[in-house]
Amino acid sequence: MSGNGFGHSFRFTTFGESHGPAIGCVIDGVPPRLPLSEADIQPYLDRRRPGQNRFTTQRQEEDAVRILSGVFEGMTTGTSIGLMIDNTDQRSHDYSGVKDTFRPGHADWVYEQKYGIRDYRGGGRSSARETAMRVAAGAVARVILDHVVAGGVTIRGAMVQMGPHAIDRNRWVWGETAENSFWCPDAATVPVWEEFLDGVRKRGSSVGGVVEVVASNVPVGLGCPVYDKLDADIAKAMMSINAVKGVEIGDGFRAAELFGEDNADEMRAGNNGETLFLANHAGGILGGLSTGQDVVVRLAVKPTSSILIPTRSVDRGGAEVEVITKGRHDPCVAIRAVPVAEAMLAAVLADHLLRHRGQCSFP
Amino acid sequence: MSGNGFGHSFRFTTFGESHGPAIGCVIDGVPPRLPLSEADIQPYLDRRRPGQNRFTTQRQEEDAVRILSGVFEGMTTGTSIGLMIDNTDQRSHDYSGVKDTFRPGHADWVYEQKYGIRDYRGGGRSSARETAMRVAAGAVARVILDHVVAGGVTIRGAMVQMGPHAIDRNRWVWGETAENSFWCPDAATVPVWEEFLDGVRKRGSSVGGVVEVVASNVPVGLGCPVYDKLDADIAKAMMSINAVKGVEIGDGFRAAELFGEDNADEMRAGNNGETLFLANHAGGILGGLSTGQDVVVRLAVKPTSSILIPTRSVDRGGAEVEVITKGRHDPCVAIRAVPVAEAMLAAVLADHLLRHRGQCSFP
Amino acid sequence: MSGNGFGHSFRFTTFGESHGPAIGCVIDGVPPRLPLSEADIQPYLDRRRPGQNRFTTQRQEEDAVRILSGVFEGMTTGTSIGLMIDNTDQRSHDYSGVKDTFRPGHADWVYEQKYGIRDYRGGGRSSARETAMRVAAGAVARVILDHVVAGGVTIRGAMVQMGPHAIDRNRWVWGETAENSFWCPDAATVPVWEEFLDGVRKRGSSVGGVVEVVASNVPVGLGCPVYDKLDADIAKAMMSINAVKGVEIGDGFRAAELFGEDNADEMRAGNNGETLFLANHAGGILGGLSTGQDVVVRLAVKPTSSILIPTRSVDRGGAEVEVITKGRHDPCVAIRAVPVAEAMLAAVLADHLLRHRGQCSFP
Amino acid sequence: MSGNGFGHSFRFTTFGESHGPAIGCVIDGVPPRLPLSEADIQPYLDRRRPGQNRFTTQRQEEDAVRILSGVFEGMTTGTSIGLMIDNTDQRSHDYSGVKDTFRPGHADWVYEQKYGIRDYRGGGRSSARETAMRVAAGAVARVILDHVVAGGVTIRGAMVQMGPHAIDRNRWVWGETAENSFWCPDAATVPVWEEFLDGVRKRGSSVGGVVEVVASNVPVGLGCPVYDKLDADIAKAMMSINAVKGVEIGDGFRAAELFGEDNADEMRAGNNGETLFLANHAGGILGGLSTGQDVVVRLAVKPTSSILIPTRSVDRGGAEVEVITKGRHDPCVAIRAVPVAEAMLAAVLADHLLRHRGQCSFP
């Protein structure tokens, strides 16, 4: 009710601030007898971990996750799963800059207004550090999807635009995303982004980006009309990620420009009586339910507000000040949003898989 | 849990199919002692009602709402409010066209897959008829916002793009929205859209559009970090509306193209010690919390799939067919999405107002 | 969140006051393709209906339920089910007695304190009239239990004590409950209660009672450790019924007097490898999960506070008054609690059946 | 949804097994700016801790709680609070006894049936060890109640019956509960229980008991009609505690024996215009709402099933066996239920306090 949990049948509830002793979560609703260990989670955390190249914050965290409950002899037991990651790089430094002044575009002014208090160290609860638990919970969601759905569900993310520079979708190769610092699926765009982002970083600025996440082999019929539509829950999941300002499914905003006959995903009969779609403008979701086609989601990530370029602001006393944010920051947070968006999509799908199974299993 | 309710502290749960005897809802959580009567709800239903001009479906419904409970001597009592609207224009006709064949881009194929059964009459539960209850619940949410928030909260919607034709934002006049059939705030664009949509309608096609909704005088601090952020719940609310494929807050996807210093909404001190923002790229929401600036939301609406132009599909037996959808339909459903989007924004704000009050009222 | 709904996977949300135009509910989560019509619900409402003999209130209501949605051609569709019952006997009379004075032991004083307003006509929302929707929702729950569980689940209730007069459990015959005005399973006790309750009624008083509800053929393993234990949800369901002041499972309070070896339900192996229990002190629930034995629940119902005997109270102005409640009342509301308790047990079991199926269906 | 959380506006979600590395919880919804440190929680854990005398299990745990988030400079921040207690006395021993055989009256058989797997070490998730987190969360709930309610809310528990031996309520002195091993408020009963329980313990048996919890200075009007009545949520809270088989409010089952005029809590006007009640048969709750009188709750606790006396059972292979449970156990678990019941009552009251404030704060 107060916003620190996500999902219904598969639900995770998180805690932790950027500079507290630890972050963690409780995952409730995981089916019993699924194989699970830290080794199923850690690789996803490693993908999200900052400090791996010059394009992300230089905070160095091992991000070693520990499973504290809910698993016995390598299998889930159906009871709640406690996960924890110790914070190991809470660099002790001078917070006077952020303690009493508010960064334009940052959560700190509005946290102070809402709660009358805020943990200003590293952004506290509003820090992107929180997203580590999303990734951990998403890894558990993937285990559910892979064991309950025949053939498993594949969830992959990519960055498709950095600032004004979009990729060429005709050159999309999923395998490329692991070969560069940007999760970029278009090898030819990588050097463009490298040069561009180096410039952004060097002048102390930041830039936004667009992330695309795709889930394949999603079962037909996931989603709960009419308010918990699959796309509605995906939109919420994505918009809840730090710095996200827009979400699209399938053609998204481009659908507004289309005529009905162009937007329709026509259907034909396959050789085995199955239905084949001739297009996927819908992004795998119609009427709030999955169609079995790829679920395609895009999210817009704004530039981080923590920059070295001075901006005008006020302090706690109401006086006008200029703000420069020193410290370790991401010139393009959209990069690190990729594994987070994958995780959130996994969480939504796992939740709706179990919800569907509860209501619509047929004898 | 199965998707027919929305909200937490302010929650409405709906029922009803397009061609059943009635649609209705239960609203739970309304504060006591607010003045409420059908006259507070009916005007919003009248705005949504189809059949008022040649650009919306010719279904004729009186849409007269009745309050069945929760109000005593003109005041809310704090108990649940039951609302009901009788369906009066369930035109009896031949459903053989939709009973056994599936419209490309429509919910009917996937409802059949999920449930193994569907009420095919007029789209059943997936019909836009369901949105009448959103509008009714939103009207009650407005009453809360107007009585609990000093000065009231103003929520207004407009259509800002039809197909490829966007308005000129420099000509935006809110008062114009009531003067044309499109909720268009730019008088000069109206004749362009009229001619364009007449063409679309005459050739039996449909087209998408973009809707913008703005809430003014929103209290600071609404929203629950980190998963029930105000923008996350708004995104869910909007994406749950029929035919919506994208949602943006503030600059939305354009924020992805900006540098940090351009995206920052700088702050200055006002004459009375209050904080003034010099811009509103954030669309009134930072860190998932309202900043007090206008909350600005845009949604992309796809073209309706019910068109007179033949498209390729399959029938229930799996055979390939061509589909033409006769009957009463909207050439541009985005028009009717305007009052629905306003209502959903009101519902989210009322919910978070009460949630905030529960947790953060200070002595 | 504000209390007008019950359940998670099977959830019903109700509205309606005693003297408003109608009462109703929305049921969400019902599996699709179950046969359902008014004929499945009406018999249970008829069992609850007052005015059928001299031992219940003389209010005369037809209590004809209408299904407004969620059913198509006699089958559930998986969408929300709207139910409604018109109020037809809101006798117009002088409410000055209850409008301004508070009945000791009744909800009206405390409703006034909480909400600052109350619908005083017939008790408003606190009236036992509300329980009609519990019975209707419970009837739908029974349809789920009967179709999803092989062999169906049998849920039966009885009154086992009236005031100081308990039945002799050795004479328990379920068939007897339909043969008298009290749902009494012990024929020999019926004349005792008749004479006793006639005396209570004639002198304008009321009396309490104990109700027992038993569910048979409950699947093993229903319930969600540790806070949504099956017995925890049953306790909540029963305590939410008007006038209930105590709930027991199995031996209940008598278990407090036992030694461990006496309370243990020993197990033996059956002929087909199944586990047989040699006793049922646990009332069919261990560790919050159903064991497959009969689920046995007892609830204590207090005497109604609406009596003809004067009691000391205060009025809205704070002045001291004497209260006599005229009108139609139940001398022993425990009688009418029997079908309500059955319904609530059905609702809890259906909810946990679907919840279990969602999490623990094995491939 | 899968049962590891409790509450709505004040909600805690727990994890942890008896013999895992740690137990913990996340508390969501705590108002900001309340003073909170481990010192507010630890004393309640110390009261619950076993091994403090010969009448409770000899497990030795330090039960040192750590606050991992949600508190900054000694004040709550409004974000989620993570709590953790390391398990330090997971005695490594031979589990062959419980691994393959099922204790009659214990949760282990039914966990195995539900999940197809169970952590048999020390009872796993079904262990009373889980109740430590209830006590920790309850301590945080007390902080809310003490700071939001003028004058604070006092919540005290006592054991009022052990096996067949009830206290004499005329000798009730709250201060006595801290002076003996049983939370017994009647000094004269203490030696009776000591002798009785020594006998029970020496012959390897166990016995049940009855616990009473009382909350004083509860604000008027807490509770959400009609399904989340205050007493309904209390009943759920208490019945969810291990080994509880019955719950009563106020007169409870004795109310079933009363006439209406005897059960009515008559009202008189106080000197300052306030309403005075002349009795408290209702246990402080009418119509599901708190009346401001003491909230009085009793719960029946069964004898633990882990005893040294042989009982008949089956093993995992279905063969018939005799079971003796060695190890550290409580001869009367009702003793340790006292601080747990207090904590659950605190949690329910804090939750409804915030819920009430959200809906019914008047301008």
Side-chain angles (χ1 to χ4, degrees), chain D residues 105-123:
Chain D
H106 194 275
D108 49 17
W109 179 81
V110 74
Y111 264 64
E112 184 91 23
Q113 301 298 316
K114 180 180 182 73
Y115 296 119
I117 184 175
R118 93 194 132 95
D119 179 349
Y120 47 77
R121 302 167 304 164

Side-chain angles (χ1 to χ4, degrees), chain C residues 1 3 114 130 203 205-206 221 223 227-229 233 236 240 245 247 249 260-261 266 269 282 312 355, chain D residues 1 3 114 130 203 205-206 221 223 227-229 233 236 240 245 247 249 260-261 266 269 282 312 320 355:
Chain C
M1 246 292 297
K114 180 181 182 73
E130 176 272 331
R203 68 185 181 84
S205 183
S206 63
Y227 298 101
D228 293 349
K229 288 185 165 112
D233 277 347
K236 173 169 179 163
S240 77
K245 300 301 286 185
V247 182
I249 307 290
E261 64 273 26
E266 296 184 301
R312 290 172 289 175
R355 291 167 77 170
Chain D
M1 246 291 298
K114 180 180 182 73
E130 177 272 331
R203 68 184 181 82
S205 183
S206 62
Y227 297 101
D228 293 349
K229 288 184 165 112
D233 277 346
K236 174 169 178 163
S240 78
K245 301 301 286 185
V247 182
I249 307 290
E261 64 273 26
E266 294 184 301
R312 290 172 289 176
E320 301 191 338
R355 291 167 78 170

Side-chain angles (χ1 to χ4, degrees), chain A residues 1-6 8-9 12 14 102-107 109-111 113-116 125 130 134 161-164 196 200 203 205-210 220-229 231-233 235-236 239-242 244-249 252-253 255-261 263-269 275 277-278 281-282 285-287 289-291 298-304 307 309-314 318 320-321 344 355-356 359-360 362, chain B residues 1-6 8-9 12 14 102-107 109-111 113-116 125 130 134 161-164 196 200 203 205-210 220-229 231-233 235-236 239-242 244-249 252-253 255-261 263-269 275 277-278 281-282 285-287 289-291 298-304 307 309-314 318 320-321 344 355-356 359-360 362:
Chain A
M1 245 293 298
S2 290
N4 290 288
F6 187 84
H8 291 260
S9 291
F12 63 96
T14 73
F102 303 114
R103 285 161 283 183
H106 194 275
W109 179 81
V110 73
Y111 265 64
Q113 300 298 316
K114 180 181 182 72
Y115 297 120
R125 183 70 176 145
E130 177 271 331
R134 298 176 185 246
Q161 184 180 323
M162 180 189 288
F196 174 72
V200 169
R203 66 182 182 85
S205 183
S206 62
V207 74
V210 177
V220 180
L222 303 191
C224 294
V226 295
Y227 298 100
D228 294 348
K229 288 183 165 114
D231 38 359
D233 278 346
K236 172 169 180 163
M239 198 69 96
S240 77
I241 300 172
N242 309 37
V244 172
K245 301 301 286 185
V247 183
E248 293 184 321
I249 307 290
F253 276 85
E257 304 177 16
L258 297 180
F259 295 114
E261 63 274 24
N263 182 66
D265 299 322
E266 295 184 301
M267 294 179 274
R268 297 280 81 182
T275 299
F277 289 91
L278 304 184
H281 297 281
I285 303 176
L286 284 173
L289 303 177
S290 58
T291 64
R298 262 181 314 282
L299 39 150
V301 184
K302 71 174 186 180
T304 178
I307 53 177
I309 297 171
T311 47
R312 290 172 289 174
S313 186
V314 294
E320 300 192 338
V321 295
M344 292 307 288
R355 290 167 77 170
H356 178 71
Q359 188 188 9
C360 296
F362 298 116
Chain B
M1 246 291 297
S2 290
N4 290 289
F6 187 85
H8 293 259
S9 290
F12 63 95
T14 73
F102 303 115
R103 283 162 285 182
H106 194 275
W109 179 81
V110 75
Y111 265 64
Q113 299 297 315
K114 181 181 182 72
Y115 297 119
R125 183 71 176 145
E130 177 273 330
R134 300 176 184 246
Q161 185 181 323
M162 180 190 288
F196 174 71
V200 169
R203 66 182 183 85
S205 183
S206 61
V207 73
V210 177
V220 180
L222 303 192
C224 294
V226 295
Y227 297 100
D228 293 349
K229 287 183 165 112
D231 38 358
D233 277 346
K236 172 169 178 160
M239 198 68 97
S240 76
I241 300 172
N242 309 36
V244 172
K245 300 302 286 186
V247 182
E248 294 184 319
I249 307 290
F253 276 86
E257 303 177 18
L258 296 180
F259 295 115
E261 63 274 25
N263 183 65
D265 298 323
E266 295 185 301
M267 294 178 274
R268 295 281 82 181
T275 299
F277 289 91
L278 305 182
H281 297 281
I285 303 177
L286 284 173
L289 303 177
S290 58
T291 64
R298 263 182 313 283
L299 39 151
V301 184
K302 71 175 186 182
T304 179
I307 52 177
I309 296 170
T311 48
R312 291 171 288 175
S313 185
V314 295
E320 301 190 337
V321 294
M344 291 307 288
R355 290 168 78 169
H356 178 72
Q359 188 188 7
C360 296
F362 298 116

Side-chain angles (χ1 to χ4, degrees), chain D:
Chain D
M1 246 291 298
S2 290
N4 289 289
F6 187 85
H8 292 260
S9 291
F10 173 84
R11 180 172 179 82
F12 63 97
T13 309
T14 73
F15 69 85
E17 277 84 39
S18 176
H19 285 56
I23 59 176
C25 75
V26 188
I27 307 179
D28 201 1
V30 177
R33 302 196 303 179
L34 305 179
L36 182 69
S37 75
E38 281 89 350
D40 295 299
I41 305 171
Q42 195 63 50
Y44 294 101
L45 287 165
D46 293 345
R47 293 179 73 213
R48 190 211 74 100
R49 203 173 60 214
Q52 304 189 85
N53 60 55
R54 71 184 184 277
F55 300 116
T56 57
T57 171
Q58 293 309 299
R59 178 167 177 155
Q60 298 287 345
E61 296 274 10
E62 193 185 356
D63 276 0
V65 68
R66 280 188 297 151
I67 297 175
L68 298 175
S69 69
V71 175
F72 183 61
E73 297 181 344
M75 303 282 274
T76 58
T77 61
T79 63
S80 54
I81 297 175
L83 299 180
M84 202 169 80
I85 298 173
D86 288 321
N87 286 337
T88 57
D89 186 24
Q90 316 102 295
R91 190 176 297 189
S92 165
H93 67 24
D94 177 12
Y95 288 108
S96 55
V98 292
K99 178 180 178 182
D100 295 318
T101 62
F102 303 115
R103 283 162 285 183
H106 194 275
D108 49 17
W109 179 81
V110 74
Y111 264 64
E112 184 91 23
Q113 301 298 316
K114 180 180 182 73
Y115 296 119
I117 184 175
R118 93 194 132 95
D119 179 349
Y120 47 77
R121 302 167 304 164
R125 184 71 176 145
S126 73
S127 165
R129 176 116 197 91
E130 177 272 331
T131 60
M133 292 322 302
R134 298 176 185 245
V135 170
V140 177
R142 286 180 194 257
V143 170
I144 297 172
L145 293 168
D146 284 345
H147 285 84
V148 175
V149 177
V153 174
T154 301
I155 298 171
R156 295 180 288 197
M159 198 159 101
V160 297
Q161 184 180 324
M162 179 188 289
H165 303 290
I167 63 161
D168 180 339
R169 300 181 73 89
N170 295 317
R171 294 190 301 238
W172 190 301
V173 178
W174 274 114
E176 289 295 330
T177 59
E179 304 300 319
N180 58 74
S181 304
F182 309 115
W183 313 108
C184 181
D186 168 15
T189 291
V190 172
V192 179
W193 287 1
E194 283 181 339
E195 183 179 347
F196 174 71
L197 195 56
D198 266 332
V200 169
R201 184 171 55 86
K202 284 173 183 164
R203 68 184 181 82
S205 183
S206 62
V207 73
V210 176
V211 169
E212 184 164 321
V213 204
V214 178
S216 304
N217 198 35
V218 175
V220 180
L222 302 191
C224 294
V226 295
Y227 297 101
D228 293 349
K229 288 184 165 112
L230 186 62
D231 38 358
D233 277 346
I234 291 172
K236 174 169 178 163
M238 297 303 158
M239 198 70 96
S240 78
I241 300 172
N242 309 37
V244 172
K245 301 301 286 185
V247 182
E248 292 183 323
I249 307 290
D251 280 3
F253 276 86
R254 282 177 294 282
E257 304 177 16
L258 296 180
F259 294 114
E261 64 273 26
D262 300 323
N263 183 66
D265 298 323
E266 294 184 301
M267 294 179 274
R268 296 282 79 181
N271 290 330
N272 303 310
E274 79 279 21
T275 298
L276 300 178
F277 288 92
L278 304 183
N280 188 17
H281 297 282
I285 304 176
L286 284 174
L289 302 177
S290 58
T291 63
Q293 289 197 280
D294 281 0
V295 171
V296 181
V297 185
R298 263 183 312 283
L299 38 150
V301 184
K302 71 174 186 181
T304 180
S305 55
S306 298
I307 54 177
L308 284 163
I309 297 170
T311 48
R312 290 172 289 176
S313 186
V314 294
D315 66 17
R316 294 186 74 194
E320 301 191 338
V321 294
E322 281 217 331
V323 173
I324 293 176
T325 308
K326 294 170 186 166
R328 306 163 297 184
H329 296 292
D330 288 274
C332 181
V333 284
I335 301 170
R336 286 173 60 209
V338 173
V340 179
E342 289 176 7
M344 292 306 289
L345 185 54
V348 173
L349 291 173
D351 187 31
H352 276 285
L353 177 68
L354 301 181
R355 291 167 78 170
H356 178 72
R357 192 162 78 154
Q359 187 188 9
C360 295
S361 297
F362 298 115

